[in-house]
Amino acid sequence: MRDFSARLATAEEIANWDKHVLANPGGGNVLQSASFAEVKSHHGWNPVYLAFTGPDYVTYTLAIEKKVPVLGSLWYLIKGPDVAAPEDVPLVVNALTRFIKETRRKVFAIKVEPDIVDSEEVQALFTGAGFIKTFNLQPNDSTALLDTTPDEEQLLKNLSSRGRNAVRRAIREGADVRRVEPTEENMRTMYRLMAHIEDRSAARLRSYEYYHRFWSNFVAAGQGRFYFAFEDGEPTVGAFVIAYGNKGTYKDGGSKPRRSQYGDSHLVQWTAITELKKECGIVQYDFCGTPPSNQLKDKSHPHHGLGLFKTSFSKTVTDFVGCYDFVVDPVRYRIWNTIGERVARQIYWRRHQQPFY
């Protein structure tokens, strides 16, 4: 019978956290990284570094812990656990539940969010194992993924005609797109460009301090970089992208409205993709968020426009299973689920003007 055991990672494992996460069955996720754990430690979450040992492999998983007055703690395995098969998720969570109880930790629920493609079979597996479907938290629970393994000529041909024509026209017309240094000035410019997107969508920006720490951490780790498009010497499109292992991610983006250069935002992405492919060896690029595949054509969806842009590179949308809760303490979870979470999110927003998660 397959089974897993759970433990805290050792000091040596934490010191080399990214190496261990990138060796996981799915190749790791940027939101499981050491850089991201450090960011969340400054914004109300306590990183907990976990190792799960099964019969065939060890998987390393970051849990971020939110302490809730009276109720105890919620553990959120953000974009985890990273397992070899969907059937291993319940086994990992059962091992973690045993560990929590044996070490007498006051955890009332575990939130999981594995990068497993959604299907009726996986939904049945999870609900049959006692998981409770809850609302999704990360923008790339539905996303556009681009296979970057073909050579550059074939890669361009693989884009939709709209995306391919936009890239070619921007190149032909001499659009000014460059990788820029991660200076304070460029970070503030990036944040201003992101604010323009907020004006045109339902998105809410976190604080500049949050993004500054996020960007700085990934740049310092050699994983993050900025790309800008310019018109008359002024930045008009910005993107922050990450290479984590062999995966690229379009993490943050922004642009000024009413620009004159056609295809500049497409060329920013194309430049980032091709440079990450050459210099970092990425085999996949995550555009980090679209409407779900069954809502892609819904013009009322708040991310309809972004979905059209991102699927001009990758023609299909991948839906992951998203968030599920596993109950450790039924009484405390019931309180959390009926009123506690709603109140906690409202209080946190009023105090910090930041999202709870």
Side-chain angles (χ1 to χ4, degrees):
M1 180 178 177
R2 290 182 63 80
D3 201 6
F4 281 77
S5 62
R7 61 175 174 83
L8 296 178
T10 66
E12 182 278 332
E13 288 169 329
I14 295 172
N16 296 279
W17 185 249
D18 285 340
K19 181 186 76 172
H20 293 296
V21 169
L22 292 171
N24 282 344
N29 187 287
V30 69
L31 298 187
Q32 282 279 307
S33 67
S35 293
F36 185 72
E38 200 278 337
V39 172
K40 298 306 283 186
S41 72
H42 293 273
H43 294 272
W45 294 86
N46 176 48
V48 182
Y49 301 90
L50 300 165
F52 298 94
T53 302
D56 308 310
Y57 64 95
V58 178
T59 184
Y60 291 84
T61 300
L62 171 69
I64 51 175
E65 177 188 43
K66 175 71 75 171
K67 293 184 178 179
V68 182
V70 181
L71 295 182
S73 294
L74 171 71
W75 279 15
Y76 176 16
L77 277 58
I78 187 166
K79 282 295 172 179
D82 186 342
V83 292
E87 293 78 13
D88 287 348
V89 173
L91 301 180
V92 165
V93 173
N94 287 338
L96 183 55
T97 303
R98 291 196 302 270
F99 171 79
I100 287 168
K101 292 180 178 179
E102 288 167 1
T103 55
R104 299 186 178 182
R105 296 169 187 269
K106 295 182 179 179
V107 177
F108 61 84
I110 301 164
K111 187 179 292 290
V112 299
E113 190 181 49
D115 268 350
I116 294 171
V117 175
D118 196 19
S119 69
E120 291 183 359
E121 292 76 15
V122 173
Q123 292 172 19
L125 170 69
F126 283 11
T127 55
F131 290 86
I132 299 170
K133 185 70 182 86
T134 184
F135 53 89
N136 293 344
L137 293 171
Q138 299 307 319
N140 61 341
D141 285 325
S142 289
T143 192
L145 300 172
L146 178 65
D147 176 6
T148 59
T149 57
D151 63 63
E152 192 169 314
E153 181 180 356
Q154 185 60 50
L155 185 57
L156 184 59
K157 290 179 179 178
N158 289 351
L159 308 188
S160 73
S161 59
R162 184 163 58 90
R164 185 170 58 252
N165 292 338
V167 170
R168 286 175 170 165
R169 177 173 167 181
I171 293 172
R172 187 170 62 249
E173 295 180 355
D176 184 4
V177 171
R178 292 173 255 153
R179 179 182 174 185
V180 299
E181 293 299 315
T183 62
E184 179 70 22
E185 179 183 1
N186 284 337
M187 289 188 190
R188 291 196 176 275
T189 297
M190 181 71 197
Y191 192 73
R192 287 195 295 272
L193 290 170
M194 290 167 65
H196 286 299
I197 296 295
E198 186 180 36
D199 292 341
R200 308 196 295 273
S201 75
R204 278 180 170 177
L205 280 182
R206 296 180 186 268
S207 67
Y208 174 72
E209 290 71 26
Y210 181 95
Y211 286 103
H212 185 276
R213 185 179 297 277
F214 186 102
W215 296 332
S216 298
N217 281 7
F218 281 96
V219 167
Q223 298 163 343
R225 51 178 69 180
F226 292 92
Y227 290 88
F228 284 174
F230 296 83
E231 283 189 10
D232 300 322
E234 178 187 359
T236 52
V237 179
F240 181 75
V241 303
I242 297 169
Y244 190 66
N246 62 9
K247 298 176 184 176
T249 299
Y250 170 31
K251 174 59 178 65
D252 298 310
S255 62
K256 291 185 68 175
R258 297 177 295 278
R259 305 183 308 281
S260 60
Q261 175 63 63
Y262 181 81
D264 51 1
S265 55
H266 281 82
L267 187 56
V268 165
Q269 289 300 311
W270 179 248
T271 304
I273 290 165
T274 53
E275 291 193 2
L276 291 182
K277 175 179 167 64
K278 291 176 185 175
E279 298 169 19
C280 306
I282 65 166
V283 300
Q284 184 185 76
Y285 188 79
D286 184 354
F287 282 89
C288 208
T290 66
S293 57
N294 62 358
Q295 299 178 51
L296 195 59
K297 296 182 179 180
D298 181 0
K299 294 182 179 180
S300 67
H301 194 282
H303 303 308
H304 174 71
L306 287 174
L308 289 178
F309 171 70
K310 294 173 180 181
T311 53
S312 69
F313 289 88
S314 180
K315 302 171 187 177
T316 59
V317 166
T318 298
D319 296 314
F320 292 109
V321 294
C323 284
Y324 281 80
D325 287 348
F326 187 81
V327 178
V328 179
D329 185 302
V331 174
R332 288 185 288 158
Y333 178 76
R334 192 178 306 116
I335 296 171
W336 170 254
N337 200 39
T338 54
I339 190 171
E341 183 176 26
R342 184 171 68 253
V343 170
R345 294 178 73 173
Q346 290 173 349
I347 291 173
Y348 193 82
W349 178 260
R350 289 170 186 166
R351 287 180 178 174
H352 305 284
Q353 296 296 295
Q354 300 288 298
F356 181 77
Y357 289 102

